[in-house]
Amino acid sequence: DSGVTQTPKHLITATGQRVTLRCSPRSGDLSVYWYQQSLDQGLQFLIQYYNGEERAKGNILERFSAQQFPDLHSELNLSSLELGDSALYFCASSEGLGSYNEQFFGPGTRLTVL
Amino acid sequence: AQKITQTQPGMFVQEKEAVTLDCTYDTSDQSYGLFWYKQPSSGEMIFLIYQGSYDEQNATEGRYSLNFQKARKSANLVISASQLGDSAMYFCAMSSSSNTGKLIFGQGTTLQVKP
């Protein structure tokens, strides 16, 4: 158990819908990262928050947004869903920002868009 | 641009033998970290081992060791005494001082351990 929790574990929805994925980082970790894992794109970085502020953006679509709350949990919002958004979405957390920080991953949310 | 390359899509190893999973990286940063993660069929990502660019010694964690060759920009994972439970996908990843710690992943290597 990494100490990072993600809910829900599975999510099945239809095209055009909106969903929210939730992540609670390990106790004491200030940095939260979101990653998407799909068969065709592999593991890709989406967005990072540090202590409530957005710090880096990767290949995140405009239909996707995220935030980190004062209690440090984070939510990833996916809207106007398309079939291609079906993927495994991971949240990871680390203590700080540097390249030396180990990132611990949550169990992931498997999103299926029908 | 930063990049991680894993050239072995799939590997087989006999139980109790050692296996090396290859990883090469490309970065112009001087300060960076290299990571290996294991993803079993259940899907979770399990952190295995970390090597910092300034670490002079190769990292080791139990049966895992990282063969770090900085000049060749390689960071191969060595698993000793393979076990059936080692069958999984293995990802090499990198973060660097210029990218706030986000991880860039390779395409992964699927390892199957044969009894």
Side-chain angles (χ1 to χ4, degrees):
Chain A
D1 187 350
S2 67
V4 179
T5 60
Q6 285 187 252
T7 55
K9 195 168 174 62
H10 300 278
L11 200 47
I12 301 174
T13 188
T15 53
Q17 295 298 303
R18 173 190 169 93
V19 297
T20 297
L21 313 183
R22 184 188 167 103
C23 165
S24 292
R26 290 189 323 157
S27 177
D29 285 356
L30 298 178
S31 221
V32 169
Y33 307 78
W34 286 97
Y35 295 89
Q36 179 195 59
Q37 185 178 28
S38 61
L39 282 174
D40 53 344
Q41 299 287 337
L43 265 162
Q44 288 201 102
F45 166 74
L46 294 179
I47 196 164
Q48 178 200 6
Y49 281 83
Y50 179 79
N51 203 19
E53 291 188 8
E54 182 186 304
R55 292 305 300 259
K57 256 185 175 178
N59 297 324
I60 187 166
L61 300 170
E62 284 191 13
R63 301 182 284 107
F64 296 1
S65 64
Q67 55 184 327
Q68 187 180 29
F69 295 87
D71 66 352
L72 301 178
H73 90 271
S74 178
E75 292 180 358
L76 178 67
N77 301 296
L78 316 176
S79 61
S80 302
L81 285 167
E82 302 175 0
L83 296 178
D85 298 329
S86 295
L88 187 53
Y89 291 85
F90 285 109
C91 165
S93 74
S94 69
E95 195 177 301
L97 285 173
S99 62
Y100 51 85
N101 281 278
E102 300 161 14
Q103 290 184 27
F104 294 89
F105 281 69
T109 293
R110 187 169 294 281
L111 173 66
T112 303
V113 182
L114 300 175
Chain B
Q2 297 171 340
K3 189 177 180 182
I4 292 280
T5 303
Q6 294 179 254
T7 57
Q8 306 154 312
M11 291 277 288
F12 287 93
V13 64
Q14 206 67 35
E15 193 178 8
K16 298 181 184 175
E17 292 187 351
V19 62
T20 298
L21 307 184
D22 294 341
C23 172
T24 58
Y25 61 92
D26 190 19
T27 181
S28 56
D29 288 331
Q30 296 301 308
S31 176
Y32 52 88
L34 296 157
F35 303 78
W36 278 92
Y37 285 85
K38 172 185 178 181
Q39 186 176 38
S41 57
S42 51
E44 71 266 35
M45 292 286 285
I46 302 167
F47 166 75
L48 294 178
I49 196 167
Y50 162 81
Q51 178 85 41
S53 58
Y54 292 117
D55 294 340
E56 293 188 354
Q57 296 206 336
N58 287 340
T60 60
E61 290 285 350
R63 294 187 299 110
Y64 304 108
S65 61
L66 200 151
N67 184 359
F68 180 47
Q69 297 188 45
K70 196 170 182 177
R72 297 177 64 182
K73 291 191 173 179
S74 75
N76 299 338
L77 177 71
V78 180
I79 306 174
S80 63
S82 297
Q83 301 171 358
L84 295 178
D86 293 335
S87 294
M89 179 81 95
Y90 289 81
F91 290 96
C92 180
M94 174 176 66
S95 70
S96 71
S97 54
S98 67
N99 68 8
T100 71
K102 71 180 183 189
L103 290 173
I104 297 165
F105 286 89
Q107 288 302 104
T109 295
T110 301
L111 176 67
Q112 291 199 30
V113 181
K114 293 182 171 181

